């Protein structure tokens, strides 16, 4: 719901902070329009400088912190997502570009919760889905570490879940199912 602009009138004073006019360095400005980005992560404001009359834009990004298991809080970092996933992708046909896209998807997913703080565990959870789309072997590696797979049964369960997923999406079934069970996929198993 990007509301309509406030024409000239009373802009909310709460963001008057220290946004200098980039033209004349005047220390005050009036917000004439605000829009939230589609992913909700940033707000773009159109501002008017009362001193020189020029307009400029600012983008405010909401901060997102990650709380680690140790209790340490650090800013969310796409680079950390990438480096965490990259290990699981060793030897796999995964490009840097696709890792960057994955990190972006993860950021959008965790920001969609609207929370300013998220637990590191939940970042890991948000990685699993996009990584599974990207490369299933890397996904299994990552999940085995992240979810503490203790035995072959855990791997079997994860692989079984992937197979069920393949059955739901026959267009991708060819790389996992060799031969048999071609048409049994129609009544989708669920649990
Ligand atoms: Zn100015």
């Amino acid at each position: 719901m990007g509301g309509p602009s406030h024409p000239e009138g009373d802009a909310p004073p709460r963001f008057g902070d220290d946004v200098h006019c980039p033209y004349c360095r005047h220390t005050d400005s009036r917000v004439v329009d605000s829009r939230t980005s589609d992913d909700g992560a940033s707000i773009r404001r159109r501002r008017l400088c009362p001193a020189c009359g020029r307009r400029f834009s600012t983008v405010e990004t909401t901060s997102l912190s990650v709380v680690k298991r140790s209790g340490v809080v650090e800013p969310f970092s796409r680079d950390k997502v990438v480096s965490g996933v990259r290990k699981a992708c060793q030897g796999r046909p995964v490009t840097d570009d696709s890792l960057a896209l994955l990190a972006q998807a993860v950021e959008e997913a965790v920001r969609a919760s609207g929370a300013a703080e998220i637990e590191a565990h939940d970042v890991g959870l948000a990685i699993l889905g996009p990584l599974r789309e990207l490369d299933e072997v890397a996904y299994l590696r990552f999940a085995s570490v992240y979810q503490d797979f203790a035995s072959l049964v855990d791997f079997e369960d994860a692989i079984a879940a992937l197979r069920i997923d393949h059955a739901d999406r026959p267009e991708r079934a060819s790389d996992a199912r060799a031969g048999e069970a071609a048409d049994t996929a129609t009544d989708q198993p669920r649990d």
Side-chain angles (χ1 to χ4, degrees), residues 44 50-51 85 137:
R44 181 184 174 86
V85 170
V137 171

Side-chain angles (χ1 to χ4, degrees), residues 164 168 187-191:
I164 289 170
D168 285 348
D187 47 353
Q188 302 163 359
R190 50 176 87 155
D191 55 351

Side-chain angles (χ1 to χ4, degrees), residues 20-26 28 48-56:
H20 290 53
C21 169
Y23 302 106
C24 72
R25 308 297 298 165
H26 187 70
D28 192 20
L48 173 68
C49 172
C52 70
R54 296 211 232 191
R55 288 165 187 258
F56 58 98

Side-chain angles (χ1 to χ4, degrees), residues 26-87:
H26 187 70
T27 54
D28 192 20
S29 63
R30 179 185 296 162
V31 176
V32 292
D33 189 24
S34 299
R35 276 158 216 255
T36 306
S37 64
D38 289 339
D39 59 8
S42 61
I43 299 172
R44 181 184 174 86
R45 296 182 194 280
R46 218 38 206 147
R47 293 171 182 269
L48 173 68
C49 172
C52 70
R54 296 211 232 191
R55 288 165 187 258
F56 58 98
S57 296
T58 54
V59 176
E60 287 157 21
T61 307
T62 53
S63 70
L64 179 62
S65 301
V66 176
V67 185
K68 300 168 81 168
R69 199 182 294 186
S70 61
V72 173
V73 177
E74 57 183 33
F76 176 87
S77 153
R78 286 191 193 182
D79 288 344
K80 290 213 166 135
V81 170
V82 169
S83 60
V85 170
R86 194 189 296 279
K87 283 175 217 148

